[in-house]
């Protein structure tokens, strides 16, 4: 039976791979994002089972407007939109302790919290009554939640904590909620061209398997968590990082 899947930030990288995996499994997929060009390109390349809607998931008005573009029932929600906003615009003056410097510091923190925590929380809240019984919510987290990365790591740690509440709130309807915490994943826009070769080699050396992650690694894990075989897995963080961060 075909499901309806919503993938936020679905135009490129991990989101695109998740959409492709769901389509391969027979699902209909709606992808969202802020940029129309990659959304349209992905929708066309993945075929008629994919539709695209522009939406900035940090913007309450746009999330509310998105509801009018969605069907009455969503079987799977994948909160993928986000990224380290410090890579987009880093203002070194935010280190200043003046009032203006503190304001810039606060703005930089708000940007990461909005992009990586509020976006997921607001989208899930808006869709809570449309989520189908027995469905799934999957959030894309990060190894940074455990290893640290400033406001980005703090936002992803908050996402993991909030996920427990989501699982409890939705569990009575048989809906699961989990986080896939990704390590270094190659071939994405995450680093915005700021990843040096030395740093890349260091990230790979941190793994136990000796290779970077791929978008398909994350997509397969997301697909499993939304599958019939994972209906008793909820309120969890699944680390997909090649052993760069170990848990027990």
């Amino acid at each position: 039976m075909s499901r309806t899947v919503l993938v936020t930030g679905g135009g490129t990288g991990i989101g695109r791979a998740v959409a492709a995996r769901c389509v391969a499994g027979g699902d209909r997929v709606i992808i969202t994002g802020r940029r129309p060009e990659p959304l349209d390109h992905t929708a066309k390349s993945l075929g008629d089972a994919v539709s695209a809607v522009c939406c900035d998931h940090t913007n309450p008005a746009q999330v509310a407007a998105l509801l009018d573009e969605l069907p009455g029932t969503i079987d799977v929600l994948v909160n993928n939109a986000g990224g380290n906003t410090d890579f987009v615009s880093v203002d070194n003056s935010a280190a200043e302790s003046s009032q203006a410097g503190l304001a810039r510091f606060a703005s930089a923190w708000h940007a990461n919290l909005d992009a990586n925590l509020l976006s997921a929380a607001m989208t899930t809240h808006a869709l809570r009554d449309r989520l189908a019984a027995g469905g799934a919510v999957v959030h894309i987290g990060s190894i940074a939640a455990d290893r640290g990365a400033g406001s980005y790591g703090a936002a992803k740690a908050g996402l993991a904590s909030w996920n427990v509440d989501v699982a409890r709130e939705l569990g009575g309807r048989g809906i699961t909620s989990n986080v896939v915490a990704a390590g270094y994943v190659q071939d994405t826009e995450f680093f915005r061209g700021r990843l040096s070769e030395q740093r890349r080699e260091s990230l790979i050396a941190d793994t136990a398997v000796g290779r970077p992650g791929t978008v398909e690694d994350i997509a397969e894990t997301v697909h499993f968590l939304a599958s019939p075989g994972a209906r008793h897995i909820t309120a969890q963080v699944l680390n997909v990082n090649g052993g760069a961060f170990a848990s027990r």
Side-chain angles (χ1 to χ4, degrees):
M1 180 178 178
S2 178
R3 302 175 301 179
T4 300
V5 180
L6 173 62
V7 182
T8 72
T12 62
I14 291 172
R16 186 189 189 284
V18 170
R21 180 63 184 87
C22 291
V23 169
D27 298 323
R28 297 195 60 81
V29 182
I30 303 158
I31 57 174
T32 64
R34 294 177 292 107
R35 298 174 295 164
E37 292 82 5
L39 283 175
D40 291 342
H41 176 74
T42 292
K44 290 177 181 176
S45 66
L46 294 182
D48 295 339
V50 179
S51 58
V53 182
C54 279
C55 180
D56 179 347
H57 287 265
T58 69
N59 186 312
Q62 292 193 33
V63 174
L66 173 65
L67 298 179
D68 294 332
E69 304 295 326
L70 298 178
T73 300
I74 299 293
D75 297 289
V76 180
L77 167 62
V78 181
N79 285 313
N80 169 71
N84 192 337
T85 56
D86 287 344
F87 291 138
V88 178
S89 177
V90 177
D91 184 353
N92 292 328
S93 63
E96 298 175 3
S97 297
S98 64
Q99 180 176 340
L102 290 172
R104 286 188 287 270
F105 177 85
S107 178
W109 269 73
H110 278 299
N112 258 324
L113 291 169
D114 286 352
N116 296 286
L117 178 54
L118 180 63
S119 63
M122 184 159 53
T123 303
T124 306
H125 181 76
L127 290 172
R128 66 195 186 284
D129 293 333
R130 295 199 191 189
L131 295 173
V137 182
V138 184
H139 319 280
I140 304 302
S142 172
I143 192 174
D146 293 295
R147 301 193 72 175
S151 54
Y152 173 72
K156 290 301 190 183
L159 181 71
S161 178
W162 166 73
N163 171 64
V164 177
D165 287 337
V166 179
R168 288 172 176 164
E169 177 185 349
L170 301 178
R173 293 158 55 198
I175 301 170
T176 60
S177 180
N178 293 287
V179 174
V180 176
Y184 168 51
V185 178
Q186 66 181 3
D187 298 329
T188 73
E189 298 177 338
F190 180 81
F191 287 98
R192 305 290 179 174
R194 299 184 183 218
L195 180 66
S196 69
E197 183 59 27
Q198 181 179 9
R199 176 58 174 155
R200 179 180 181 276
E201 291 176 357
S202 174
L203 291 171
I204 295 173
D206 280 346
T207 69
V209 297
R211 71 164 177 86
T214 67
V215 293
E216 289 79 16
D217 289 327
I218 308 302
E220 288 290 348
T221 307
V222 171
H223 191 262
F224 165 68
L225 288 173
S227 74
R231 294 304 80 214
H232 204 54
I233 301 174
T234 194
Q236 304 300 311
V237 176
L238 272 69
N239 292 283
V240 184
N241 57 46
F245 174 78
S247 61
R248 62 178 181 88

